[in-house]
Amino acid sequence: EPPEIGPATPEAEPETDPDRFVPERSSNIRAGSWTEERLLVEFRSGAVYSYEGAPRETFEALKEARSVGSAFARLVRKRGYAYRKEPVE
């Protein structure tokens, strides 16, 4: 079972959790988290995908990116990490 990303709301205070982020502006990505070589990304559609083998540096780059969607395409999709759609309750 995947770790829970948690609510994608400002009240969640992701800036206090170093393993989670909620982009201020993204038309596609709602939230992300990282644990043990796995990046979890929650999309605005509600779908959650895990990306195996993504290094912590990739997660940190997404957290700091001006455009999370562009950074995600460049740093995750184009690098071909193994991924799977996680069940959403």
Side-chain angles (χ1 to χ4, degrees):
E1 184 170 309
E4 187 175 322
I5 287 183
T9 63
E11 301 85 54
E13 297 186 42
E15 63 276 0
T16 63
D17 183 349
D19 295 328
R20 181 171 146 59
F21 72 90
V22 175
E24 286 185 31
R25 286 172 287 193
S26 177
S27 60
N28 198 26
I29 295 175
R30 179 176 291 148
S33 65
W34 187 88
T35 181
E36 300 175 21
E37 301 297 319
R38 182 167 65 167
L39 172 67
L40 288 169
V41 177
E42 178 184 356
F43 293 90
R44 295 222 176 261
S45 67
V48 175
Y49 284 84
S50 63
Y51 297 85
E52 300 294 328
R56 177 77 189 200
E57 293 79 19
T58 297
F59 168 77
E60 294 294 337
L62 289 174
K63 276 177 62 172
E64 301 300 322
R66 290 187 92 158
S67 171
V68 176
S70 295
F72 176 79
R74 184 179 74 255
L75 299 171
V76 179
R77 281 203 175 128
K78 289 185 179 178
R79 292 198 179 166
Y81 294 112
Y83 68 91
R84 73 177 188 155
K85 186 174 183 178
E86 298 292 345
V88 178
E89 296 176 13

